[in-house]
Amino acid sequence: MTEKILIIGANGQIGTELVKALRAIHGSNQVIAADIRKPADSEGDEGPFELVSVTDADNLRRVFEAHKPTQVYLLAAILSAVGEKNPKMAWDLNMTGLLLVLDYAIEFKVAKLFWPSSIAVFGPNSPKENTPQYCVMDPNSVYGFSKLAGERWCEYYFEKYGLDVRSIRYPGLIGWKAAPGGGTTDYAVHIFHEALTNGKYTSFLSEGTELPMMHMDDAIRATLALMDAPAESLSIRSSYNLAGLSFTPEQLGEEIKKHIPGFELSYVDTDPRQAIADSWPKSIDDTQARTDWGWQPEFDLPRMVEDMLTNLKKIK
Ligand code: AKB
């Protein structure tokens, strides 16, 4: 079957890489990138592009009508840190966007829908170590509870309307091709840019703050593997726990020092993102993803750091 794939939020941290990966597999013309802004630099990748906001129901409907996608990836979202600055706007964009796309996916007979959830669905009373798929979930950021509500909607549309919706609870994502979009885990990307440019970095998360993270290549591989998995092998239609690696700012700093010996790491006194980080897990149990669709991460901390520094050096 020839796929027509629509990616909404195509210019974000995940979208930038996913568009490239899907165009390499299916051909540029089969993958429609959509975003509220034109891509800054298309690097010669001239596939179809639609200017659309995920909350603009009429324009979004036009895009579904025009392209009749067989698969949709809805990546447009306001992340945890930015969401706390404008909570109502974050709720509106994250929920309105999802509900519109769920309805259009049914109306336009989309075969598969991907929607990203996050470790932000967990909260202060969730277990911190090896956080299981099912446990107490009391997220206290707007982003977190919009993701938890979104997971319930996804499962509801699967159960009630048979929509083949698939989702991953991403940890903090670390890649060199695109900037992160206003999250609590962004320090783990900024640190590489600052290490290479200035040889030092001031972390907005404090020493000892351990969080689940993942190299972007692993995240893209996981996303494609989940979307390729046979529907009958999937036991979770809310969102899968997914683990890569876990580290603290000082562990990351020590690893960077092996490549940049004079690298200096310091910490800000207070930052609102610390409270969000403190409410999240330290590590994730992803047994179900491993069992249902064979998930296996490839990047550990040394490999991730080496890859980031090598690639960023080439483009700086
Ligand atoms: C954030 O920090 O908000 C995101 C996430 C973990 O979902 N990177």
Side-chain angles (χ1 to χ4, degrees):
M1 175 185 168
T2 311
E3 302 286 356
K4 242 308 145 84
I5 302 174
L6 173 63
I7 304 183
I8 304 166
N11 297 344
Q13 193 195 13
I14 303 173
T16 305
E17 304 221 13
L18 201 55
V19 168
K20 284 192 177 70
L22 286 168
R23 283 186 173 158
I25 298 168
H26 298 278
S28 287
N29 281 333
Q30 301 312 112
V31 179
I32 302 106
D35 207 293
I36 45 168
R37 263 171 259 104
K38 289 213 160 126
D41 173 15
S42 60
E43 288 173 13
D45 184 0
E46 297 302 332
F49 178 81
E50 290 281 2
L51 202 59
V52 65
S53 159
V54 73
T55 55
D56 180 346
D58 292 341
N59 201 12
L60 198 57
R61 160 183 281 281
R62 178 195 60 75
V63 171
F64 273 79
E65 236 159 22
H67 297 285
K68 307 212 166 34
T70 56
Q71 291 186 24
V72 175
Y73 291 73
L74 169 56
L75 306 176
I78 293 185
L79 298 188
S80 57
V82 173
E84 291 311 289
K85 291 187 186 143
N86 203 336
K88 299 270 171 51
M89 193 177 94
W91 174 259
D92 183 43
L93 187 136
N94 292 355
M95 296 317 298
T96 307
L98 174 60
L99 290 172
L100 281 175
V101 170
L102 285 169
D103 280 340
Y104 289 155
I106 301 286
E107 186 182 337
F108 292 94
K109 300 190 172 40
V110 170
K112 285 183 212 171
L113 171 64
F114 179 84
W115 174 80
S117 185
S118 161
I119 54 163
V121 293
F122 298 109
N125 290 296
S126 309
K128 292 273 179 224
E129 310 273 356
N130 287 324
T131 307
Q133 179 72 37
Y134 299 106
C135 58
V136 171
M137 295 167 95
D138 57 346
N140 56 13
S141 68
V142 178
Y143 172 66
F145 54 79
S146 73
K147 286 295 179 189
L148 185 53
E151 287 190 6
R152 303 321 306 150
W153 278 112
C154 287
E155 191 177 299
Y156 188 84
Y157 269 67
F158 172 74
E159 295 292 347
K160 293 268 173 192
Y161 310 116
L163 179 64
D164 188 348
V165 50
R166 304 173 180 209
S167 176
I168 284 172
R169 289 174 182 155
Y170 289 121
L173 299 180
I174 303 166
W176 53 272
K177 291 185 191 148
T184 302
T185 57
D186 292 11
Y187 92 87
V189 178
H190 297 157
I191 193 170
F192 289 101
H193 291 267
E194 292 297 311
L196 285 168
T197 315
N198 300 319
K200 56 184 181 186
Y201 178 67
T202 304
S203 171
F204 59 76
L205 295 186
S206 65
E207 215 170 339
T209 309
E210 183 179 353
L211 287 172
M213 302 276 186
M214 180 173 284
H215 189 287
M216 187 60 91
D217 289 2
D218 270 349
I220 298 294
R221 240 179 3 92
T223 309
L224 298 178
L226 173 62
M227 287 299 270
D228 278 348
E232 55 286 3
S233 69
L234 304 180
S235 61
I236 292 174
R237 294 303 186 147
S238 51
S239 191
Y240 277 93
N241 270 12
L242 194 74
L245 58 158
S246 283
F247 54 78
T248 61
E250 65 275 20
Q251 286 166 337
L252 180 56
E254 283 308 311
E255 198 57 42
I256 291 174
K257 251 189 222 166
K258 292 182 187 164
H259 302 262
I260 304 173
F263 175 65
E264 285 170 30
L265 179 60
S266 56
Y267 303 89
V268 298
D269 285 343
T270 53
D271 188 285
R273 288 165 283 194
Q274 186 63 45
I276 302 175
D278 288 342
S279 76
W280 286 356
K282 293 178 191 293
S283 57
I284 297 288
D285 176 351
D286 63 357
T287 306
Q288 214 56 50
R290 289 170 189 254
T291 308
D292 289 2
W293 42 279
W295 166 244
Q296 199 68 57
E298 285 181 358
F299 282 81
D300 58 11
L301 185 59
R303 185 169 168 199
M304 186 274 283
V305 169
E306 166 141 37
D307 181 83
M308 285 296 286
L309 291 173
T310 308
N311 283 299
L312 284 174
K313 258 186 224 159
K314 287 185 202 152
I315 57 171
K316 278 214 176 272

